[in-house]
Amino acid sequence: MQAQIAAASQDLSAVRARTSALPELTVVTKFFPAEDVAALYDMGVRSVGENRDQEASGKATQLSLHAHSDDPLRWSFIGQLQTNKAKSVVKYAHEVQSVDRLSLAESLSKAYLNQLKRYEAGEGPAPASLANGGLKCLIQVGLNPQAPSTAGQASLGARGGASPEDTLELAHQISRLPGLVLGGVMAVAPLDQSADVAFERLYKTAENLWGDFPEARTISAGMSSDLEAAIRWGSTNVRVGSHIMGKRPML
């Protein structure tokens, strides 16, 4: 997989050619047991992604003693998140890649601060992202102009995502919330459109963000089926599941 990422990054016609850094690989481990995640860690993987809090929380607890404290496993929450799960997520997640609305950002900020207070009082563990200065948040951007996503409505069958036009305002709102660190943007390409067209739109949204937040450089885009297109359009983080983990177990 690293070879495939490197090969895609060599396309000199790509936006990606503006930087020499290769995209980070986040292995999507949803539905796979903690033992598989432990094996990934032993093979050198340090970033994994989950999209269901109950599953992710359980795995993080199981693996808390497996990873070395000076070389931790980073957990990214990559799925649609209900606000009432925020207090659980801040305990294990180093970042949330799917912040698509102010109410979710506010819940994450409140949960982070409450967990920090409990830690300082000796009543609980530190937030997982404390050593990094706060919980990294990526704004999930909806990329389908024909069928715009509705933030927070994944339960109704809609893909989450703030509209590109609303991203900058949401970024300003997140930047003012204590305990949160604005990291950049994330998106999933629509199934019925060209991935290159979709990721070009994401890149332009990120460029608009950089005018006010030059440090928010993360572009999380690209999965097993479209990572080459994402890398062409500046992805700094690809989220790969099936091409590494294989077929998902039957639940």
Side-chain angles (χ1 to χ4, degrees):
M1 180 52 63
Q2 291 289 6
Q4 185 178 359
I5 292 172
S9 299
Q10 294 305 310
D11 183 353
L12 296 182
S13 66
V15 174
R16 188 71 231 157
R18 297 177 186 175
T19 175
S20 60
L22 292 178
E24 178 185 12
L25 171 64
T26 294
V27 180
V28 180
T29 53
K30 61 182 180 180
F31 304 136
F32 288 89
E35 292 80 7
D36 287 357
V37 183
L40 287 170
Y41 180 87
D42 293 341
M43 290 186 290
V45 171
R46 293 296 180 267
S47 179
V48 296
E50 293 278 341
N51 71 345
R52 299 194 305 178
D53 170 62
Q54 185 174 359
E55 180 182 352
S57 177
K59 289 179 187 177
T61 299
Q62 287 180 262
L63 291 166
S64 60
L65 298 180
H66 186 83
H68 303 294
S69 59
D70 59 348
D71 190 17
L73 182 65
R74 296 180 63 256
W75 295 87
S76 296
F77 194 89
I78 60 176
Q80 291 298 289
L81 183 61
Q82 296 176 328
T83 56
N84 63 359
K85 300 293 186 180
K87 62 182 179 181
S88 173
V89 168
V90 299
K91 295 177 183 178
Y92 63 84
H94 293 79
E95 67 177 4
V96 175
Q97 294 201 9
S98 48
V99 178
D100 60 0
R101 60 201 187 279
L102 177 59
S103 62
L104 176 56
E106 290 174 334
S107 294
L108 289 169
S109 173
K110 180 180 178 180
Y112 181 93
L113 294 180
N114 286 341
Q115 189 64 33
L116 180 60
K117 288 179 182 178
R118 294 186 67 230
Y119 168 66
E120 292 175 339
E123 299 174 353
S129 58
L130 178 61
N132 299 325
L135 180 66
K136 182 177 178 180
C137 293
L138 304 185
I139 297 175
Q140 183 169 357
V141 182
L143 296 179
N144 191 343
Q146 280 71 48
S149 299
T150 304
Q153 296 299 309
S155 63
L156 301 180
R159 271 189 174 166
S163 72
E165 295 75 22
D166 294 338
T167 299
L168 184 58
E169 175 57 28
L170 181 55
H172 278 281
Q173 293 167 334
I174 292 172
S175 72
R176 292 191 287 265
L177 292 172
L180 305 186
V181 177
L182 178 66
V185 296
M186 179 272 249
V188 179
L191 295 175
D192 58 349
Q193 294 184 24
S194 161
D196 275 290
V197 171
F199 291 139
E200 179 182 8
R201 193 175 191 213
L202 180 65
Y203 185 82
K204 290 179 178 178
T205 302
E207 278 191 314
N208 186 51
L209 191 71
W210 296 336
D212 288 0
F213 301 98
E215 72 286 355
R217 305 298 293 190
T218 298
I219 300 177
S220 178
M223 300 186 292
S224 294
S225 61
D226 56 18
L227 67 86
E228 290 90 351
I231 292 171
R232 279 194 292 272
W233 285 102
S235 175
T236 65
N237 176 257
V238 293
R239 310 179 304 273
V240 180
S242 60
H243 279 194
I244 293 175
M245 304 301 295
K247 188 176 180 180
R248 293 173 185 165
M250 298 296 294
L251 298 182

